[in-house]
């Protein structure tokens, strides 16, 4: 874990610094055109302080989770790392899509870049996502029920010794 954590932290730090100091794409408020802007993602963090706080909390959670897994006893670090990962990635999505930023920019044809306004504003898309949102809880309940049904009877050594498939 210490070697993997060191490699991850080095790569993440490189990614974060390069993200904050490079230019990004922005939507011009007057014309609606996609233009390049210096330090766009750093400016997004500064323009949205709540997102910055969520990101810092997420990074702190990941680092604390790694440190508690390396230096502590038990498996409690997974909870901090998991929650921190969710917060950090969610805030990176917000920085990439909010504040007049195309979340999927096109370097070939900037006018074709995907923004929140031009990719999710159709009634069809909104209805589809609403139906998907209602289906997900049923899928989770099905997974839980199937897992519980599979775990009712444990596999025995006798079953493992038999040739062929039981299913």
């Amino acid at each position: 874990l210490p070697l993997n954590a060191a490699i991850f932290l080095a790569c993440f730090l490189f990614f974060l610094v390069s993200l904050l100091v490079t230019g990004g794409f922005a939507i011009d408020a007057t014309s609606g055109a996609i233009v390049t802007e210096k330090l766009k993602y750093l400016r997004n963090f500064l323009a949205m302080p709540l997102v910055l706080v969520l990101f810092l909390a997420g990074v702190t959670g990941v680092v604390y989770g790694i440190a508690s897994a390396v230096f502590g006893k038990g498996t409690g670090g997974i909870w901090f790392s998991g929650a921190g990962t969710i917060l950090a990635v969610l805030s990176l999505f917000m920085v990439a899509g909010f504040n007049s930023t195309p979340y999927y920019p096109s370097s070939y044809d900037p006018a074709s870049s995907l923004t929140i306004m031009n990719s999710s504003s159709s009634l069809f898309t909104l209805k589809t996502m609403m139906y998907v949102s209602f289906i997900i809880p049923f899928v989770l309940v099905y997974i839980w029920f199937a897992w519980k049904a599979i775990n009712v009877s444990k596999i025995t050594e006798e079953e493992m010794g038999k040739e062929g498939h039981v299913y």
Side-chain angles (χ1 to χ4, degrees), residues 30 36 46 58 84 100 112 119 124 130 154:
T30 56
T36 56
L46 297 176
S100 299
S112 298
S119 65
F124 174 76
M130 181 193 68
K154 304 290 184 193

Side-chain angles (χ1 to χ4, degrees), residues 15-49:
F15 164 76
L16 185 61
V17 169
S18 64
L19 178 74
L20 295 178
V21 299
T22 59
F25 291 96
I27 304 167
D28 188 352
T30 56
S31 67
I34 307 295
V35 296
T36 56
E37 181 180 317
K38 290 184 179 181
L39 305 173
K40 175 62 180 167
Y41 300 108
L42 176 62
R43 291 180 185 181
N44 280 357
F45 269 126
L46 297 176
M48 300 180 291

Side-chain angles (χ1 to χ4, degrees), residues 45-136:
F45 269 126
L46 297 176
M48 300 180 291
L50 181 59
V51 174
L52 178 61
V53 169
L54 287 175
F55 180 73
L56 294 176
V59 170
T60 303
V62 169
V63 171
Y64 180 77
I66 290 171
S68 66
V70 171
F71 301 114
K73 294 180 181 176
T75 59
I78 189 71
W79 297 107
F80 292 101
S81 293
T85 300
I86 291 169
L87 289 176
V89 170
L90 181 64
S91 61
L92 286 174
F93 280 148
M94 288 182 203
V95 164
F98 292 163
N99 198 29
S100 299
T101 307
Y103 65 88
Y104 195 64
S106 171
S107 57
Y108 178 72
D109 181 19
S112 298
S113 298
L114 291 179
T115 64
I116 290 175
M117 284 93 46
N118 70 4
S119 65
S120 64
S121 60
S122 75
L123 185 59
F124 174 76
T125 303
L126 295 175
K127 281 184 177 179
T128 303
M129 293 310 295
M130 181 193 68
Y131 293 137
V132 168
S133 297
F134 281 125
I135 291 172
I136 289 174

